[in-house]
Amino acid sequence: MSLIPSFFGTRRSNNIFDPFSLDVWEPFKDLQFPSSSETSAITNARVDWRETPEAHVFKADLPGMKKEEVKVEIEDDSVLKISGERHVEKEEKQDTWHRVERSSGTFSRKFRLPENVKMDQVKASMENGVLTVTVPKVEVKKAAEVKSIEISG
């Protein structure tokens, strides 16, 4: 057996021990994995939470989802819950699937909010697969300006 592959004319054997074999070995091709309906739609929906002087802003990446498939709720007056469901794509009998990586099913994320928020003024919008939830903060009154008083005596 030659250690140098032949690129001209002859086809190499399908030998997994031959480092120059032209066929790709897929070690997991015969293993059974859970179907897409058994996995969560977005295993860990990626969420950014930033605080501005006026509000807490949450941005969640929900690619391919419609606003009708997503719920934004407030639980116990202190917990923001983002949840939803991605439905399974309809399979046609004549289709041959080569790979299924996009998952379907339900997802849920919860965030405990601080006490300085206005729960009755939460707003949510969705654009291009990004959910934005804005939770306004209670205005903090600035301390009265302190004037220095000269002491006589």
Side-chain angles (χ1 to χ4, degrees):
M1 173 158 102
S2 171
L3 292 178
I4 300 173
S6 173
F7 293 107
F8 305 103
T10 61
R11 180 163 159 74
R12 303 286 302 177
S13 66
N14 185 12
N15 182 345
I16 64 170
F17 301 107
D18 181 358
F20 299 110
S21 175
L22 297 177
D23 293 327
V24 177
W25 179 53
E26 292 189 45
F28 303 111
K29 78 176 183 180
D30 294 324
L31 294 178
Q32 296 294 320
F33 292 101
S35 69
S36 62
S37 63
E38 297 172 4
T39 58
S40 97
I42 301 172
T43 306
N44 288 313
R46 305 288 185 202
V47 179
D48 293 339
W49 176 1
R50 87 182 146 99
E51 183 176 356
T52 68
E54 298 81 28
H56 292 271
V57 180
F58 297 83
K59 288 196 176 208
D61 285 341
L62 304 173
M65 296 197 68
K66 300 174 190 160
K67 67 180 183 178
E68 297 81 22
E69 299 171 320
V70 179
K71 282 186 189 176
V72 177
E73 302 170 294
I74 302 295
E75 296 180 343
D76 301 325
D77 287 332
S78 64
V79 176
L80 172 67
K81 179 181 177 184
I82 300 171
S83 61
E85 182 173 3
R86 177 175 287 146
H87 299 285
V88 176
E89 192 169 312
K90 185 179 175 186
E91 294 183 26
E92 298 293 331
K93 295 289 182 197
Q94 69 271 13
D95 291 347
T96 301
W97 289 82
H98 294 282
R99 185 171 305 277
V100 177
E101 294 182 347
R102 297 183 310 141
S103 57
S104 60
T106 60
F107 70 93
S108 178
R109 294 290 308 269
K110 292 183 179 184
F111 303 92
R112 181 162 306 281
L113 297 171
E115 294 178 12
N116 67 339
V117 296
K118 297 178 184 178
M119 294 300 221
D120 57 336
Q121 295 181 14
V122 175
K123 293 187 186 325
S125 65
M126 190 147 171
E127 186 176 340
N128 296 327
V130 178
L131 172 70
T132 302
V133 180
T134 304
V135 184
K137 292 167 60 175
V138 175
E139 292 179 29
V140 178
K141 295 181 181 179
K142 294 181 180 179
E145 193 174 307
V146 178
K147 293 183 181 179
S148 182
I149 300 173
E150 194 172 317
I151 301 174
S152 62

